[in-house]
Each structure stands twice: as structure tokens, then as C-alpha cells.
Amino acid sequence: MTASIVTIVYVNDAPASARFYGDLLDMSPSFETPGYIAFDLGPGADLALWSGQFENLSSAVPRTSEICLAVGGGPGRLDELFEEWKAKGVTILRAPSDAGFGRTFLAADPDGNRIRVAPQD
């Protein structure tokens, strides 16, 4: 079976969120409508931002899932990325630390959705 995985993140403002994610990922959307914007992350993987599904999402609501950005370059690259994101004003929920799978940190988008940065397997 051939399939793609599309991770959908609910946001208040899809264009604003696309600017946020586009800046973090250093890429442009591959598909855009006013309320649904997608990024092609590679073969079989997309990140989609969808607004209008829930009114007034609050960043105060606990999130039970995360988007995980797996980066290469080792622990040093992860620490550099942490400093870059912090300098951009990204909300940091947990500073870099060592976990069972390697060095990681946790951030949040403007709607409170969690973004974990971890080492590439």
C-alpha cells in the first residue's frame, strides 16, 4: 500500500502559523488555501496547519501530542538550533536535556502546540 502521512495541527490563524513554521523549518508551503496550509516534508510526509475547525484555541489548554522535528548534526547542532529559536522569540517549554533517545528540547507554537526537537535516528 502506498500512503502519505499528513500531520494536521489545529491553529487559530493558518497564514500566521505558516509564517511561524516556514521560518522555523526554512521552507515555503507546498499547498495553500485561506484556512489550510501544508508543507511537504519529504516523501510521504506533510505538515498541515488548519484553522476554522475550533474557535479561539487557547495555548493554556494542555496538549497531549507533539510534532517532533528530528535533526541531524549531533547534540551540538541541537543546542545551536535551541539558541536560534530562543533568539527568534519562540516559546521554550523545556531547555535542552538528555533523554533516553538523545539530546532534546521542547518548544511551543503561538497556539500552544508542542514542538519537540530531537536527534535524527
Side-chain angles (χ1 to χ4, degrees):
M1 175 172 100
T2 302
S4 290
I5 300 293
V6 178
T7 300
I8 297 173
V9 177
Y10 298 113
V11 297
N12 281 307
D13 183 337
S17 291
R19 288 189 296 276
F20 174 84
Y21 281 97
D23 182 46
L24 289 186
L25 301 172
D26 194 26
M27 61 175 41
S28 297
S30 57
F31 179 83
E32 294 184 63
T33 68
Y36 184 91
I37 300 173
F39 291 88
D40 180 354
L41 301 177
D46 292 288
L47 171 65
L49 309 169
W50 197 1
S51 62
Q53 297 308 299
F54 300 98
E55 295 298 318
N56 302 315
L57 292 171
S58 169
S59 61
V61 174
R63 302 299 198 233
T64 58
S65 63
E66 301 173 346
I67 297 165
C68 183
L69 175 61
V71 299
R77 177 62 189 130
L78 190 132
D79 287 339
E80 289 172 6
L81 198 55
F82 169 75
E83 293 299 331
E84 290 172 19
W85 286 21
K86 197 166 69 167
K88 289 180 181 189
V90 174
T91 300
I92 301 298
L93 301 176
R94 200 167 287 146
S97 62
D98 295 319
F101 52 84
R103 195 133 179 93
T104 184
F105 72 88
L106 188 63
D109 74 9
D111 292 296
N113 298 301
R114 293 174 171 226
I115 307 165
R116 176 160 309 275
V117 181
Q120 200 169 32
D121 292 338

